[in-house]
Structure formats: C-alpha cells, structure tokens
Amino acid sequence: MRDHLSLTQLAQELGAELRLAPGVEPARKINGLSTLQDANTEHLTFLANPNYRRFLKATSAGAVLVTKEFVDECPVSTLCVDNPYLAFARASALFNTAPKAEAGIHPAAVVHPEAEIGPGVSVAAGAVVEAFAKIGPRAVVGANCFVGEGSTLGEGSCLHAGAIVHHGCRIGSDCIIHSQVVVGADGFGFAPHKGEWIKIYQLGGVEIGDQVEIGANTCVDRGALGDTVIGRGVKIDNLVQIAHNVRIGDYSAIAACTGIAGSAIIGKHCALGGSSRIAGHVTIADGCQVTANTFVTKSIENSGNYSGGLPFSDSQSWRRNAVRFSQLDKMARKLKSLEKQLEEFSCRNGKDE
Amino acid sequence: MRDHLSLTQLAQELGAELRLAPGVEPARKINGLSTLQDANTEHLTFLANPNYRRFLKATSAGAVLVTKEFVDECPVSTLCVDNPYLAFARASALFNTAPKAEAGIHPAAVVHPEAEIGPGVSVAAGAVVEAFAKIGPRAVVGANCFVGEGSTLGEGSCLHAGAIVHHGCRIGSDCIIHSQVVVGADGFGFAPHKGEWIKIYQLGGVEIGDQVEIGANTCVDRGALGDTVIGRGVKIDNLVQIAHNVRIGDYSAIAACTGIAGSAIIGKHCALGGSSRIAGHVTIADGCQVTANTFVTKSIENSGNYSGGLPFSDSQSWRRNAVRFSQLDKMARKLKSLEKQLEEFSCRNGKDE
Amino acid sequence: MRDHLSLTQLAQELGAELRLAPGVEPARKINGLSTLQDANTEHLTFLANPNYRRFLKATSAGAVLVTKEFVDECPVSTLCVDNPYLAFARASALFNTAPKAEAGIHPAAVVHPEAEIGPGVSVAAGAVVEAFAKIGPRAVVGANCFVGEGSTLGEGSCLHAGAIVHHGCRIGSDCIIHSQVVVGADGFGFAPHKGEWIKIYQLGGVEIGDQVEIGANTCVDRGALGDTVIGRGVKIDNLVQIAHNVRIGDYSAIAACTGIAGSAIIGKHCALGGSSRIAGHVTIADGCQVTANTFVTKSIENSGNYSGGLPFSDSQSWRRNAVRFSQLDKMARKLKSLEKQLEEFSCRNGKDE
C-alpha cells in the first residue's frame, strides 16, 4: 500500500492511457478510491456500469477510469482502459489500507518445535501451530488462529484472526482464509443403530487450491473417506457450509449463506447466488449460474441459468396465494376436468349444429 | 446483579404500585424471575400476553407484574405497571446472573503499547488489541477477542469471548458483540477477468452506532468504498450475514440466519424475520415488517408487512403440489383458453336462444 | 487409532465372519478404509447400498464388509455382518487418524485456580477456563477454547479449537463440540418501548445431554428463563441456530444451516433436513422427518414426513411460473367461476335436450 500515486504512476501501474483535464499536472497526487458521486480531487474513480453514466458529468474526482467512448464526456482527467472495473480492482490493491503483518513469530504464539515455518512468515499472538504443520514462505497466521497437526498453508497465504485449520488439510498458495473459518471439522456422518446414531469417524482431509478466498464463519468439512476438494481460484463468501466430500471446480464463486450438502460436485466457473442450497450427491455442470435462494434438488447437466427463489409480496396477498399453493394439485385436476367437460360440450354442440 | 430484593425495593426500582396479598410482608424477598407456571414464592413473574391469563389464577409466584385490570384476579401480590413486559425486561437486568468482568488487563492478554485503553476497561486472557485501537471507559474485551489496528470500542461496550473486530472499524458505546462475531472482514468483491476473479480490496470500514447488539457468529463485512453502517439501537441475532456497504437504520431488529446482500439499505424501525434474504442494492422503507423466510427481491417503498415463506405440508401432498408449481404457467394459459372458449359458447348459446 | 489390523483382528473387533479369498492369509494387514471403487489391497470397504453392487465385482479391496447375500459375488475376502454400514462406522473408529490430545494443562492455557479439572484432562494452549468450571475426567479443551464461570464439561467430552461455552451451561459426557461453536450466548429478547428495544437479560442456561455432537459455527443460545435443552445422543451439524428455550428430544439429528426459533420443541428421534426453519413456539412430534429447506410454520402432531422446499428449474421457466404464483388466488377464483358457468350451461343444456 502506498499513500499516494501521481496520475502518471497510476497510468503506468494500470496500463491506462492518461488524458489530463485542462490545468491538471501529470504529477497530481491520487490518494484513494471512491465512487463517481463521492470522489474528491484526490480520488480515483471509475465508470463500469453505463447506468451510472449520469454521475460522470458531475464528478469531482481527480481522475476516472473509463473506456474510450466516455473519455470525451468526462469533465476531469481520464485513465482510459479496456475494462474499467478490472482496472479499478487492480487500483484497489494499490490503495489497500489493511495493516501488513510483520514477519516473525510473536512471543505469545505457540508453535510446535516440529512445525516447519518458512521464511518471512508471520505468526501472530495467540496462534497455535501444531507438530508437522508447514507454513509456506511469507504466509500469515493471524491472532488466535489454529493450524492442526500435519496441515500445510501455502506460500503467501493468509489466515485471518481466529481462523482454524484442523489436522491433515492442505491449503494452497495465495489463499485468503477469513476470521472464524473452520477447515477440516468432522463431516456429519452417522450410522443409525437401534434408534441411536453411531459416529462415522471422518478419515479424509481437505484440499484447497491456490488463490482461493474463503469468507468469515464459513465451514469446509473434512472428507469421510477421501478429501473435500476446493479448486484453484474459487471464491467463497461468509457463512457458507461445504459438507464432506464436496468438490468445487476451479474459479467458481459461491455467495453468502449457501449450503452444499455432502458429496455434491460443483463444476468449474459456476456462480451460486446467496442462500442457495445444493442437495447431497448432485452434480452441477461447468459454467452454471444459480440465482439466489435456489434449492438445487437434482443434478444439472448443462451450463445455463437456474432459479428457484419465490418473490415476496405484501403479507395479505402472500397469504392468499400461499393458501392456494396447498390447493394446487386440486386446481390442476379441476382444470383438466373442466377442459374435458368443455370438449364434450363442444362435440355435442358441434353435432347439434 | 443483586441476590434478592424486597417487594418494596422492586416496586421502587420498577416504578410499580405494590399490592400485597393477605399475610405477605412488604419485606418479602424476591430472588429471581420465572414464568407464571414455574414461579415459586421467591420469584417475580409477569402477565403480558392475555393468552396466559389462565395461568394467573394458579400461580405460586411471590409477585406478578400486571396491568391494572388484572390486579384483582391475581391470587398473589401484584406489582401494577402500565407495561408488564417492559417492567419484566427491566427486572431481568436486576437479576442478571452473568459474571461481571474484572477491570484490568489480564497478563495473558496482548495489548499493543500504542493502543489506548480507557479507565475501568477489562481485557481478558488471550485477547489481542492492536496498535492505535481505542477501548473506551469500562468497555470489556473478552477472552481471545481481537481488536484490529485503529479500531474503536465505545464506552461500556462488550466484546464477548472470541469476537473479532478488524482494523479501521468503529463500534459505539453500550454495544454488546457476542462470541465469534466478525466485524470488518473483507466484503465479497471480485472483477471477472479471463475466467478468473480479481480481488477488489475492501477499502472501507464498519461503523456501528450506540446500543447495538450483534448475535453470535454474525458477520458484518467492511465496505468496499465507504463504510458498512449499522444505526443506533439496532439488534441483530445470530448467524446473520451483513454484506459490504449495507446500511441499517436506527432501532431495526434482524432475526437469526438472515442474509443481507451488498449495498442494501434497511430503513429505521424495521423488523426482519428469521432467515429472510435481502437482495443486493434494494432499499427497504422505514417501519417495514418482513416475516420469516421471505426473499426481498426488490425495493419496498412503503412501510407495512411483507411475506414470502411458503408453508409446509406432509411430504406426499407437498410433492403433488410442488410438481404443479412447475406447470403453473401452462395452467394459467389453459385457464385463459377455457375462459375464452366458454365466452364463445356463451355468445353462441345466447344467439341460439 | 492403530496403524493396521490383520483380517482376523478386524473380524474379531467387528463381530464379523471372515471368508478369505483364495491365496489370502488371515494375517493380511488392513491399514485404512476406502470406497469400493477406490480401495486397494490394504483397505477395508463395505457394501451397504445395493445401488453400489455393480462396484463390488471390480473392487480391489483387501476385504469388504457385506451381508450374507453378497458374500458369494465378492471377488475378494469378505467380513460378513448383519449391518455393513454400522460395521463400517465401527471400523472408522479403529482407523481414525485424528491426533489424540495429550493429557495435561498447556503452560499457555489460563485455568482459574478455582476451576475443577478432572484426571486425564487435556487443556490446550490459549484455552481459558473460568472459576468454578468443572472439566470431567479425560475431557479435552482445545486450543483457544473458552469455558465460562461455573460451567461443566462431562467425562470424555471434547471441545475442539475455538469452541466457546459461556457461564452456567452443562455439557454431558462423551460429547463432541466442534470449532467456533457458541453455547450459551444470550437469546434474542427485547421489549419494545417508545421505538427502542429494551434488553431482556437471559437468565437461563443450556443443558446438553450425553453423546451429543454439535457442528462447527453452530449457536445454542442460553434460555431467557429456564434452560435451552438438548437431549441425549442428539447430533447437530454446522451453522445451525438453536434459539433460547428450544428443547430437542433424545437422538434427533439436525442437518446444516437449519434455524430453530425460540421455545420450539423438537421431539425424540426426529430428523431435520438441511436449511430447515422451525418457527418459534411450535412443537414437533417424536419421529418426524422434515426434508431439506422446509419451513415448519406450525406444530406437527403426528410422526411422519413433512416437506416444503420448492424444486428449481431453468431461470426462464422459473420466472414464468413464479409470476403465476402471484396470480394464484385470482386463478383459483376464475377456476371456480368457470366451473359455475359450466354447471349452469350444463343445466340449461340438459333442459334443452
């Protein structure tokens, strides 16, 4: 993170073509990002969604990331790029204000002597790293985190405060695991026996690819036999449940509050909307978009968009319609019977004529 | 918390009018709260919901909080108030048995020398407080909590064991943040690029007003640009997801398992039932009641009650009706066509007659 | 956990009848479990679901747990039992690879001098045990766990890293409480007063029976008055919300992401599917099966199967049907009116003939 960058430096960093507004120096400093509406002269902003075009003309930003077609209507300096949203994402890294973890093991951390700690690693206060765990170069283990026996955290990956990785799990490099995440807790497996539940010990682990991000309070259970697998570049939001032996293909994204039941297989490049539910043992093809609040009850064989969330209404209308839902089968049968009656009439009437 | 209070003291504390049952002394001790059914002679109880009136006559309580109209039918001593449920809430504070945190910094806490710790603050074992954090007077930081760089916790606020507040977040005074809450984790923001996801660093923070309570395992993500904002007196239950840049108006209440997607705006004095889902970027007007399990897919412009959760049934009936749901559009078209046929008949029949 | 067992030992441990494949010694070592498809000659596997019968003939396993009827068609050694799935569960305990906690209090744990620690107990680094807490014989308190004042953890029970048990809660013996679980946070109770919310202090506790398992990031709130109660042998998955004063009967199982609202009563031997929602104050009879994604809005008086989750479809079909849902009451009325018209016709036509 840097305090500020000149317009020239920004253009260079983002591969953008700089066009200065009248009277602006190329050395003009930019010290942060903001929206078109809120930006002041020290901010960089962007126009990605044409719906916000109306805010462009009134912006007070120091500079705006735009595509070629909007350069002329921008009242301030522009940084012209092919993909302003992508350039904005890259700019966000330049102005990231998150404190950087200091390398070294805090005296209040507890690292087992047989753990393997790479160069430049940071282990914060209260973190516990068990025997045979391997923490890769420049990785960060936040405050009060736990890394279980024999687990690995790849190069440059970060466990935020309170994240937990149980024994025998492998996390790739450049991953971000947010606070209170639990990787490798037992999957939910029991054999029924005389009205009781006999625990099936969960003997598998968890394998997480490189460049994965997992949101706060999300759970990724260990496999029963074999591993739960999360592919490269997968992004998972907060409060998501990933059950044992789920497999998620590379570069899929899963929004908050989603639950994926045991042994489900999600393809590559899928997007699951918030609060979606995926039934156990189903397979979802590569490239599927599942909208929010959808309950995927069976396998999806073709890429495409899938939905299942009912829209709401005022409570009175809702109640009226919801009651009818419980009569739906009767309605359908009545409809068929009326259709038949009408056909008969029609026949008879036809004869009559 | 006190061990016991006399009836006279209770009346005074609660602003109630005491009427003693025959033979009861005003110095009679009350040492706890209970329900009308379970109360013994040392308990205070209350009648707020007229549905429980039938339990009043048989109660063995030491005293009952009632409104004027029920004084005469109560067989035991009464504490007459305008709002028994409110008086009960106040009495619950008098008999609260939660252990009180001792002021002082536990030797096993790790407080950065540049953190600012107010008078009477309690920092428990295992807590980590980073540089430039400010802990207000009489605030409590529970065991194994984390307060990130530059964040503030207001006067008298409490972080329960395991709660996490990341850098650059501001929590007001008299707030209660329950265990495993994560305030200020990254919002879920990525720019798609050639089939991969490029992280948008989340540069905003979280601003939480005074008298806010946040339930266990709830997440409040930091803003992407600008803050996520939770107003004064807001109450949030467990396992709730509050995404980046959400704004929640003063005194709204949000029940468990609810998910609020990015940039949604919830008005003041709203109540969201359990497991409700609020889509991103929608606005909900002040004073809305959203019932449990409702999926709010678009903005709500007027206060009122809104619903969206389907009732259940036995599995067989459910399957029959659910199948019909997938034929609903066909049914509607058929209905229209029958209607039209019938009209035609009607016309023809009219001519015939 | 043992590294390996001979076929003879396995047969003895599991009460199975061993039948050796030609050329196999009874001393053949088995060192782990696997599926029929993935097993190698050192693995034990099982056939419980007849759907997997086709994999039996091609298996390379060292031995297979089967019922009598499949012994002859198995190409490798068999361990014949009445219930292969149950035997597999028992075998999973024999091959469990989870590291065993060492007895003793880690020097980086903080145990109050007035806590009572049983023989053989393990308290890991960073754990905090408050005054008057009782940790039963051979119980395990994982890294960074918290056990509040006066709470008890029964013999042989385990709190995994980061689990939190607040004051005044009782957990039975042989329980497994997974990471980031919160037992005994405040229930969500407030009295409305002049547009604000007055906190109702939660004076009850939590009582959890023997042999209970609670999944990661699950919340079990303390009671308002009286306890929240979880019966013997109950199994709860991850990210489940159990509100104040809920009571769950013995041997019930609750899948992930489920929410149970305040004072609901779940019977014995019930199974709640994932993401089910149980409304406050309802009662569910013993032996009910609630399928995934069901919203139980009222009490269920008889055991049986209950459902409420709508299946999904492609987004286009879904939208067409969902729109019709909001017209359902109108459709039902129109259907009635058509029916009536048709009846009138019918009468008239009858007369005409």
Side-chain angles (χ1 to χ4, degrees), chain A residues 297-344:
Chain A
T297 45
K298 57 180 185 190
S299 291
I300 300 180
E301 283 169 27
N302 299 303
S303 77
N305 296 326
Y306 298 88
S307 297
L310 275 186
F312 73 109
S313 63
D314 66 277
S315 297
Q316 216 181 357
S317 310
W318 180 264
R319 270 194 300 270
R320 272 200 297 262
N321 291 318
V323 162
R324 297 304 185 181
F325 181 82
S326 67
Q327 305 163 349
L328 206 47
D329 186 51
K330 271 191 206 161
M331 280 172 63
R333 287 165 190 277
K334 184 153 291 171
L335 194 58
K336 265 196 187 151
S337 130
L338 289 189
E339 200 183 2
K340 217 175 144 188
Q341 283 181 51
L342 213 53
E343 252 169 51
E344 283 168 13

Side-chain angles (χ1 to χ4, degrees), chain B residues 176 178-181 213-219 236-240:
Chain B
I176 300 174
H178 284 285
S179 291
Q180 317 293 31
V181 163
E213 184 160 345
I214 301 183
N217 277 309
T218 281
C219 301
I236 302 175
D237 201 350
N238 300 342
L239 290 161
V240 170

